[in-house]
Amino acid sequence: MHVPSMETRELTLLPFEEALASANTPNPEYDIQKWLYAPSFYSEYRYLLGTRGKNPLICIGINPSTARPDALDNTLKSVERIALGNGFDSFLMFNVYAQRATDPDDMEKTYNPALHAENLKAFRYALSIGEHSAVWAAWGTIIEKRDYLPACLLDVLKAGEEAGAVWYCAGKVSKKGHPHHPLYLRKDEKLRPFDIKSYLETLGVSL
């Protein structure tokens, strides 16, 4: 379990560029040729976690939990299976908000603009890796936990548009239109198009 020990505003944040540099520096704890982990150490926030490849599936959740290289949780194990099963050679887990919290109810009540800005840099980097940017919306109903999350997602959408990202979902959407969380999906679940703009409008976000 990870319960935030403090508000992220109280932290000295590692900028994404420095986190990426650390992720590309040999680490005795895991193989950096296999894993992309930024920051490269366990902290109160996480920008990216995934495997390295030329054609990654970028999975988007709401906030990171305890997973790390060689210690994926069940959600990340499912993400990897779905990515490989849909023809991708790797996966990257990105989150709408970068603060770690095993229970989303423990996320901070107000968002940290500085953390969000660095997190968007991480997303743009993820989008730059493959020739075609494929983004899997996979957050379930958790987006309802905080009022600031839809606005953060809009910024993610805008960054994706700059890169020509194509959005997908897997499994059935909820009655409110939320995309299915990666857990409990069939191993052979196929991705299908997801209309992220219409979805954001149902959340009351002005595009």
Side-chain angles (χ1 to χ4, degrees):
M1 296 287 289
H2 183 96
V3 179
S5 62
M6 64 185 71
E7 296 285 308
T8 60
R9 288 178 181 79
E10 300 174 41
L11 301 170
T12 299
L13 296 175
L14 187 68
F16 174 69
E17 287 187 5
E18 293 181 26
L20 180 61
S22 74
N24 292 329
T25 301
N27 191 313
E29 296 186 4
Y30 63 91
D31 182 1
I32 66 166
Q33 300 302 315
K34 176 182 178 181
W35 296 101
L36 175 59
Y37 183 42
S40 61
F41 52 87
Y42 193 89
S43 66
E44 291 285 328
Y45 56 94
R46 189 186 77 210
Y47 298 127
L48 292 172
L49 170 60
T51 50
R52 294 184 185 266
K54 296 181 179 180
N55 181 32
L57 174 61
I58 305 169
C59 181
I60 301 186
I62 290 301
N63 70 299
S65 185
T66 59
R68 65 187 86 181
D70 296 321
L72 299 183
D73 56 21
N74 288 335
T75 294
L76 271 291
K77 290 176 182 176
S78 180
V79 169
E80 185 171 35
R81 283 195 301 269
I82 298 299
L84 298 179
N86 280 271
F88 297 89
D89 67 358
S90 53
F91 79 93
L92 287 173
M93 189 72 208
F94 172 79
N95 291 277
V96 174
Y97 197 64
Q99 183 190 32
R100 280 191 198 265
T102 302
D103 185 345
D105 287 331
D106 292 329
M107 292 174 65
E108 51 198 3
K109 298 296 193 296
T110 58
Y111 94 116
N112 179 349
L115 179 62
H116 179 54
E118 295 303 323
N119 201 38
L120 286 174
K121 292 177 184 177
F123 184 56
R124 291 189 179 96
Y125 173 77
L127 291 168
S128 75
I129 295 175
E131 185 175 346
H132 305 288
S133 299
V135 177
W136 171 16
W139 48 79
T141 61
I142 302 174
I143 197 166
E144 298 179 359
K145 293 292 184 178
R146 294 290 182 266
D147 291 341
Y148 57 78
L149 292 172
C152 290
L153 179 57
L154 176 60
D155 290 338
V156 171
L157 166 63
K158 291 177 179 177
E161 286 182 330
E162 295 169 3
V166 178
W167 287 75
Y168 299 94
C169 65
K172 294 182 179 180
V173 298
S174 73
K175 291 182 179 180
K176 293 184 178 181
H178 299 310
H180 202 291
H181 191 276
L183 279 177
Y184 312 120
L185 289 173
R186 298 195 318 268
K187 293 181 180 179
D188 61 348
E189 193 75 58
K190 295 303 178 185
L191 298 175
R192 53 194 177 85
F194 182 68
D195 189 342
I196 182 65
K197 288 186 175 180
S198 294
Y199 171 72
L200 278 168
E201 289 176 342
T202 67
L203 297 180
V205 176
S206 299
L207 301 180

